Amino acid sequence: MADYTKMWTELGLDLDNHDALLENLGGAYQSIFMSQEKRPEGMGYFDFVMSEAHGLRIQELRDEQEAGRKIIGSFCVFVPEELVLAAGCTSVGLCAGADFAQEEVEKVLPRNTCSLIKSFFGFKLGKVCPYMEASDLIVGENTCDGKKKSFETFSQLVPNFYQMDLPQNKAPMARKLLKHEYMAFVAKLEEMTGKSISLEDLKQGIATVNAKRNALARLSKLRSADPSPISGLDALLINQIAFLDNPARFTEKVNVLCDELELFVKENKGVKAVKAPRVVISGCPMAIPNWKVPAIIESTGAVIVGEESCIGERGQRNTTDDSSDTLDGLIDAVVDRYFKIDCAVFTPNQERVEHIKEMAKNTNADGVIHYGLQFCQPYIMESFSVEKILEKDGVSVLRLETDYSQEDMGQLSTRVEAFVEIIK
Amino acid sequence: MRHAGIDIGSRSIELVVIEEGKVIVRKQAESGYNPVERVEELIADISFDKVMATGYGRASLEIAFDYSTVTEIKAYGIGAAALHPGIRGILDIGGQDTKVISLNENGKVFKFEMNDKCAAGTGKFLEMMAVTLGYKQETFGLEALKGQEGIEINSMCAVFAESEVTSLLAKGCQRADIAMAIHQSVCRRAVGMIKRQDLKAPMLFAGGVANNSCMIHLLQQTFGDDIVIPESPQFVGAYGAAILAGSL
Ligand code: SF4
Ligand code: SF4
């Protein structure tokens, strides 16, 4: 990697902390990803992106800024990338997947807060996330109580915070609220860039994002083959990178990989043995570098064939209808697309269980592992009904509750291994 | 053909060797600080053709001797079903964790639950309380049976329970009564896990704590004949592993 010290200093990163983080990440990446056998060649690109996630990609973002583009950082799949692109801005995901500077975090947040929230606070307080520091605007959304309350504190830590309200049910009024919020977001983007979004801009934005989602859907579909042509870890990585990379380039590379995987499927080539136990992961988002549970699952010889998660299916399912020829009509289409997201903060949320069932069926899964972050009420509460309903349908479910620490590796391994023995 | 099963737990290691379906060796040792060495000692004068390791320390045996491994959940399931055909549930209270396992009509595991990281409700908890009360491990259950019911221990955390016990003693409560209360609190937790998972009868009570007569008494109070106590409850996992070794 080139020397980016100057850039990191300019961004205001704490270089010692940052080195520590990169070292950790690099080590984990080597042992978890590079040690996998029979990886497709197309993964080379994603390995490269990961290795340059704090380097070249940040350089690119800074070059874009130089040329007048704004960088919009967000924590949730409810912040529409279509609108961001239409305004001539670039969208990056900030959701963080590792513990950092926890002592600092616990000065401002209760200990019993989910790891995900603590993590983005830690990244800010430890000054280690170049995406956060490079963002011209950070969008926080009112989803779970943990996030929306923590944003009150977070907004004091960053100079460029924007809060978006979100509905929590699927009533007609709720859809109106979502539209209202998206219009306000558009206004904010327009104010920042000093120009208004045209019909053409939004068409273009939608086209770019639809293409990305179609490529990811193509990847998902290929995983239903037995043997699966790609490991769950690699597929998760791609889904994680979807939030960081340039969307057009990313789409192209996913499609290149899919071409290769199609050949694999034709030749019955797979990453794991034929008839390896197949698992769908469902639940909380898994942001980079949260690879703990997937790594444990695949180390048992099982293969993950789908992620019912915001970093995965939930975030990428459904495209936006681009047929309208009025701007308002297109915004409506965007609202419709996002209104279908079945995040556990919605109540009731029957669609999610249906989606999990459907995924388990389409991927020929033998079981579902429900992943919940400790103290995440929405997902953990929902995990009980998910378990009940799926089991009634004959699908085995294992509920896991964990955080970003490594303390419970032994316990988790035993649970996962025993579950894999059951579904074999 | 001789098949061995080794269950390497946090507190103790059990070895079972079977030949023609009959148990010919049953040995136990404390895990100590170097369980791998302990296992070496345990098998030093024993011969077998195939071996399978299970339990919390199974990975260390896989690394040290390249043994095949199986989780304790499956090993207990297989062992229990072989010992008592028709068994539908297992309560296993071991040194460090408590498990509840459901079996289907064919003796296959289909669901399980384990306690979390802490010692609440495990053998370790009983061990610590015995020390606080000045009882010997082996007689703790018998002594507790002499106690009257009526006191309640509210804390499930070993550390807090210890201070609860100390203050009960200071108040002049009878040692045996407190011992009874401690067993009741462990039992309550086990019953809770069993009910939550809707275990079917008959159930097998396995693991080291199944040697404790007060725990047996209390569980039978709740479940009557639905709960079965095997002859050597702490060997169920090793036995299951030995059976599985045969299919290697
Ligand atoms: S889980 Fe909910 S709040 Fe979190 S990213 Fe997904 S939609 Fe947003
Ligand atoms: S993981 Fe759960 S608690 Fe944490 S931010 Fe997401 S929805 Fe909220």
Side-chain angles (χ1 to χ4, degrees), chain A residues 75 95 113-118 120 141 143-148 150 284-285 343-345 371-380 404:
Chain A
F75 297 104
C95 243
T113 305
C114 91
S115 293
L116 201 134
I117 295 173
K118 279 183 164 179
F120 66 75
E141 46 6 274
T143 43
C144 68
D145 290 347
K147 268 205 204 165
K148 71 182 168 215
S150 74
C284 285
C343 168
V345 301
Y371 169 82
L373 279 173
Q374 223 162 30
F375 311 120
C376 169
Q377 278 147 351
Y379 282 95
I380 292 183
Y404 291 171

Side-chain angles (χ1 to χ4, degrees), chain A residues 130-241:
Chain A
Y131 293 91
M132 208 177 264
E133 303 308 325
S135 292
D136 293 295
L137 187 74
I138 294 183
V139 186
E141 46 6 274
N142 293 345
T143 43
C144 68
D145 290 347
K147 268 205 204 165
K148 71 182 168 215
K149 291 305 284 185
S150 74
F151 286 145
E152 289 173 16
T153 311
F154 193 71
S155 62
Q156 314 285 309
L157 304 175
V158 296
N160 45 357
F161 192 75
Y162 175 84
Q163 191 136 1
M164 183 186 277
D165 200 19
L166 287 181
Q168 308 208 332
N169 65 47
K170 299 278 171 92
M173 265 313 278
R175 191 192 167 285
K176 275 196 188 138
L177 169 66
L178 190 62
K179 174 148 187 202
H180 173 266
E181 288 299 313
Y182 283 179
M183 298 294 285
F185 184 49
V186 165
K188 174 72 190 174
L189 293 169
E190 288 178 337
E191 175 209 311
M192 279 179 80
T193 57
K195 60 177 194 358
S196 41
I197 295 178
S198 70
L199 177 71
E200 252 331 291
D201 293 334
L202 188 49
K203 279 233 159 152
Q204 189 50 51
I206 291 174
T208 305
V209 180
N210 278 351
K212 172 158 124 179
R213 295 204 174 112
N214 284 332
L216 286 166
R218 188 177 164 208
L219 175 67
S220 296
K221 210 148 174 227
L222 283 162
R223 296 165 75 188
S224 62
D226 186 14
S228 174
I230 184 165
S231 71
L233 277 164
D234 280 340
L236 173 67
L237 185 75
I238 294 169
N239 275 296
Q240 290 174 331
I241 289 174

Side-chain angles (χ1 to χ4, degrees), chain A residues 374 387 391 396-398 403 405 407-408 410-411 413-419 421-424, chain B residues 55-56 58 69-75 96-97 99 108-117:
Chain A
Q374 223 162 30
E387 178 184 40
E391 285 187 344
S396 300
V397 177
L398 174 70
D403 55 20
S405 76
E407 282 166 30
D408 56 353
Q411 280 265 356
S413 302
T414 298
R415 279 176 213 224
V416 170
E417 261 176 65
F419 183 69
E421 285 168 353
I422 290 175
I423 61 173
K424 237 186 227 171
Chain B
Y56 150 92
R58 66 190 178 285
T69 64
V70 63
T71 64
E72 48 270 42
I73 315 270
K74 181 160 181 183
Q96 210 173 52
D97 49 37
K99 295 183 216 57
K108 229 183 141 246
V109 176
F110 72 91
K111 187 104 205 139
F112 63 92
E113 199 186 313
M114 276 164 85
N115 69 312
D116 289 316
K117 339 182 201 196

Side-chain angles (χ1 to χ4, degrees), chain A residues 278-298:
Chain A
R278 303 165 67 84
V279 171
V280 163
I281 296 189
S282 169
C284 285
M286 288 187 181
I288 293 181
N290 179 6
W291 302 312
K292 178 169 80 171
V293 168
I296 291 177
I297 296 173
E298 296 210 322

